[in-house]
Amino acid sequence: MANPISASTSNKSRKIQVKVNDYELRKLLATFGKMDDIAKNDMRKISQNLAERAAQFVTTWAYNAPNPAQADAVMKSLKINKLDKAPNFTLGGRTRVTRSGAYAGNLLFGSEFGSNRLKQFPPRSPKKGRGNRGWFIFVALQRFQPAKYIVTGK
C-alpha cells in the first residue's frame, strides 16, 4: 500500500512540500471539480483545516528534535496553501529565519536528517528503509496519519 502522505523536495530552492498522495483522493478531487462553488469552498476550508492541524503537529514535534532551536527556525518558514483542495504545506525555501540571516532551506535537511560531517547539525538520524528516519518532520507526519487497517492477532 502506498504512503498516503508524500513529501516532494526541490534542490533548487531547498524546500519540502508535504501533501496527500493517494490515487483515490485524486479521483475524489476530480469529482469535487464538477461541484458548485459552495461545495468547492467548503472543501477548501476542510482541506486548510487538515493542513493546519498537520502543520501544528509537526511544529510540536520540532521541540523533540536534537537541536530544538534549529528545528524551530525551520518551522518559521512554514506556509500553508490556502487555495488547494488537497491539504498541503511547505517548509524551507528562501525565508531568512535566524539572526545571522540563514535561509530555512539551508537548515532544513541538516536539522531533519542530521550530518556526520557538519557539526552545526545533529548526528545523522537512524536508517529507515532506503533512507533515514528523520528527527521531527517525517516522524511527526507518520504519527499524524491515521492507521488504515488494524491488525488483530486472530
Side-chain angles (χ1 to χ4, degrees):
M1 176 189 337
N3 191 353
I5 294 179
S6 71
S8 60
T9 61
S10 169
N11 288 338
K12 195 174 206 178
S13 59
R14 293 188 174 147
K15 60 182 171 182
I16 294 177
Q17 183 177 22
V18 178
K19 59 184 177 181
V20 176
N21 181 20
D22 195 6
Y23 176 72
E24 297 296 326
L25 179 67
R26 280 183 259 148
K27 290 194 316 189
L28 181 65
L29 291 176
T31 304
F32 282 127
K34 298 173 186 172
M35 293 181 160
D36 64 350
D37 289 339
I38 295 171
K40 288 179 186 179
N41 287 335
D42 289 345
M43 185 63 194
R44 282 190 185 99
K45 288 177 187 175
I46 292 168
S47 171
Q48 182 180 354
N49 185 12
L50 185 58
E52 287 172 356
R53 285 182 30 223
Q56 182 62 39
F57 197 76
V58 172
T59 303
T60 303
W61 268 85
Y63 297 107
N64 294 331
N67 188 343
Q70 204 172 61
D72 186 48
V74 169
M75 295 310 294
K76 288 179 185 175
S77 69
L78 179 82
K79 290 184 179 83
I80 296 173
N81 186 347
K82 294 178 177 15
L83 299 177
D84 208 344
K85 287 180 267 179
N88 70 71
F89 61 89
T90 304
L91 289 168
R94 305 232 355 128
T95 305
R96 293 189 186 267
V97 292
T98 63
R99 287 182 298 188
S100 64
Y103 292 114
N106 292 344
L107 297 175
L108 176 63
F109 294 102
S111 63
E112 172 62 7
F113 298 109
S115 173
N116 290 334
R117 286 184 281 152
L118 301 172
K119 299 301 177 199
Q120 70 265 34
F121 297 120
R124 193 88 170 142
S125 65
K127 294 255 183 228
K128 181 172 184 180
R130 296 182 305 172
N132 286 44
R133 177 178 63 99
W135 286 115
F136 65 100
I137 298 170
F138 290 97
V139 174
L141 289 174
Q142 284 178 340
R143 295 195 180 189
F144 180 75
Q145 58 187 335
K148 285 194 174 185
Y149 301 100
I150 299 174
V151 179
T152 61
K154 295 180 182 179

